[in-house]
Amino acid sequence: MAEIQLKNISKRWGSFVGVDNFDLTIADQEFLVLLGPSGCGKTTTMRMIAGLEDVTEGDILVDGKRINDLEPKDRDCAMVFQSYALYPNLDVYENIRFPLRMRKVPASEHNERVMRAAEMVELKDFLHRKPAELSGGQRQRVALARAVVREPNVFLMDEPLSNLDAKLRVSTRAQIKNLSHELKTTTVYVTHDQIEAMTLADRVVVMSAGVVQQVGSPTEIYDNPANTFVASFIGSPAMNLVNGTIENGTFTCPGVTVTGIDTKHTGKVTLGFRAEDCIVGSAAPSISAPVYSMELLGDATMATFRVGDAIASVKADKDFRAEIGETVSAEIPPALTHLFDATTGERI
Ligand SMILES: Nc1ncnc2c1ncn2[C@@H]1O[C@H](COP(=O)(O)OP(=O)(O)O)[C@@H](O)[C@H]1O
Ligand SMILES: [Mg+2]
């Protein structure tokens, strides 16, 4: 059981603000992902929860108890880092067992707990190998098992997949998802990879420059981004954002006209729309322009246009082909557009 309350926590070093007024309750058993670009304050937030970094302002409560002044070792958080930090001279079994010895867990329990953790991450056949004899993915699984074996109140994971190649990242990601489903331990997971965030999280916290931009389920942040920062960070490709003006529900900018947008807003605006929502070759095109680039993705074809100073992508079916420079048309369904304030970037 662990509900974590972050009550307006901030971290400052001199006048530099690393994390600004972070206020959130993480539910018991929740899988929370902190997502944002490098330097936005994800690791700092996690280190404050772990007790590795003092909180400049605010309180951290676990199950209602203030833990600001507790030593890291007394917080019952198990951490997994990007670098596996295994003991090179110990084999897999002893690496997994290490936290039990450190925490003076009765020796009679060790074997059962180590074997259970090893089984969860599929390492039973590698127990007597040294870390040097393992692949990167296997090493990261040892680090996971070493966190699991403690049966902690809270898991804190900081970019645990970053050192793995693309294929291993996908399979290890699935393993973490399955593990969290089985263990139901409150987890705070840090990543700069929006796909990891979307696939793993119950809720995602999108951060930029120390400030929380939006908190929501993966679907909420994908379907209703709170501002252009979130819109441009989530999705692959990210949401198209083009500047123009809107009047009587019609958005225009050079090369793009979308009619029938349900809004009373007039004047300058940023229009957002997703590549997969566009209908290529529609009889009622909103955009008609020479193709700037074509990408074959296998399951779809992506056509890209230049729109003013921006680039916009539309997704066509996998057999669609056009030459670069050839004029292609696509419809942007008005109901699936997003409007943002042209100055602040906030959702309208
Ligand atoms: N000990 C420190 N002293 C001063 N600035 C720091 C310290 N640790 C981190 N920072 C700064 O705080 C910001 C947030 O860092 P961090 O939380 O590590 O970002 P992230 O994990 O999102 O990449 C960065 O600009 C970083 O340079
Ligand atoms: Mg970090």
Side-chain angles (χ1 to χ4, degrees):
M1 277 292 290
E3 176 198 76
I4 305 169
Q5 283 171 277
L6 305 174
K7 293 199 152 175
N8 293 303
I9 58 170
S10 296
K11 179 71 196 181
R12 291 189 287 273
W13 292 279
S15 62
F16 180 80
V17 182
V19 175
D20 192 18
N21 232 359
F22 195 120
D23 194 63
L24 184 74
T25 298
I26 306 165
D28 180 40
Q29 303 190 2
E30 181 167 11
F31 198 112
L32 185 86
V33 174
L34 304 182
L35 172 69
S38 179
C40 72
K42 307 178 298 291
T43 296
T44 304
T45 304
M46 191 161 111
R47 286 172 58 86
M48 288 193 283
I49 299 172
L52 300 171
E53 202 76 72
D54 284 335
V55 175
T56 312
E57 223 167 67
D59 287 319
I60 303 179
L61 284 73
V62 174
D63 290 334
K65 284 196 212 77
R66 186 174 178 275
I67 62 159
N68 289 39
D69 306 316
L70 280 190
E71 292 289 316
K73 68 176 172 52
D74 298 322
R75 293 196 184 194
D76 205 11
C77 300
M79 295 189 73
V80 182
F81 303 98
Q82 175 178 353
S83 62
Y84 325 116
L86 304 179
Y87 300 101
N89 53 331
L90 299 182
D91 66 11
V92 169
Y93 185 96
E94 290 299 332
N95 262 288
I96 298 175
R97 183 182 172 205
F98 195 81
L100 300 180
R101 289 170 51 192
M102 286 302 289
R103 304 190 141 244
K104 311 224 168 11
V105 172
S108 58
E109 290 180 25
H110 289 192
N111 190 54
E112 197 199 323
R113 284 173 68 169
V114 170
M115 294 309 278
R116 195 167 354 124
E119 183 158 16
M120 277 185 182
V121 298
E122 291 167 43
L123 278 173
K124 274 189 126 169
D125 296 337
F126 303 94
L127 290 172
H128 300 296
R129 288 210 199 167
K130 296 276 172 60
E133 299 159 347
L134 299 173
S135 69
Q138 290 164 339
R139 283 180 216 163
Q140 192 52 284
R141 270 144 56 195
V142 179
L144 278 174
R146 198 175 49 182
V148 166
V149 81
R150 280 181 50 184
E151 298 171 13
N153 254 335
V154 177
F155 283 122
L156 300 175
M157 304 191 186
D158 194 353
E159 314 241 7
L161 306 182
S162 303
N163 281 355
L164 306 181
D165 65 48
K167 204 169 164 202
L168 257 179
R169 220 177 294 149
V170 172
S171 59
T172 314
R173 190 174 79 200
Q175 199 151 31
I176 289 178
K177 177 115 195 174
N178 187 274
L179 205 60
S180 92
H181 177 78
E182 259 180 60
L183 295 172
K184 300 190 168 34
T185 304
T186 309
T187 301
V188 180
Y189 184 105
V190 163
T191 182
H192 63 271
D193 181 328
Q194 55 96 17
I195 298 182
E196 266 173 47
M198 296 292 287
T199 50
L200 289 171
D202 292 321
R203 274 192 308 166
V204 181
V205 178
V206 184
M207 297 177 73
S208 168
V211 179
V212 171
Q213 303 294 310
Q214 188 170 8
V215 182
S217 70
T219 318
E220 282 163 359
I221 59 167
Y222 190 86
D223 291 344
N224 287 303
N227 55 39
T228 48
F229 178 84
V230 177
S232 63
F233 205 77
I234 306 290
S236 177
M239 186 180 281
N240 297 306
L241 294 170
V242 297
N243 294 317
T245 53
I246 194 160
E247 211 156 328
N248 299 322
T250 297
F251 172 89
T252 46
C253 78
V256 180
T257 303
V258 185
T259 54
I261 298 173
D262 183 17
T263 182
K264 294 195 168 60
H265 194 82
T266 58
K268 284 192 169 175
V269 74
T270 302
L271 181 85
F273 59 97
R274 292 212 177 268
E276 71 268 26
D277 291 334
C278 297
I279 305 158
V280 175
S282 160
S286 329
I287 184 168
S288 196
V291 169
Y292 171 72
S293 131
M294 286 280 294
E295 292 166 51
L296 307 185
L297 305 178
D299 62 338
T301 299
M302 195 77 75
T304 304
F305 306 94
R306 271 185 189 283
V307 181
D309 52 2
I311 278 188
S313 305
V314 299
K315 217 170 184 180
D317 65 41
K318 64 184 205 163
D319 300 321
F320 180 80
R321 295 290 182 275
E323 297 295 325
I324 290 181
E326 194 180 328
T327 296
V328 167
S329 307
E331 180 185 347
I332 303 167
L336 301 177
T337 57
H338 305 253
L339 296 180
F340 302 98
D341 187 292
T343 317
T344 64
E346 293 301 311
R347 186 180 195 86
I348 296 170

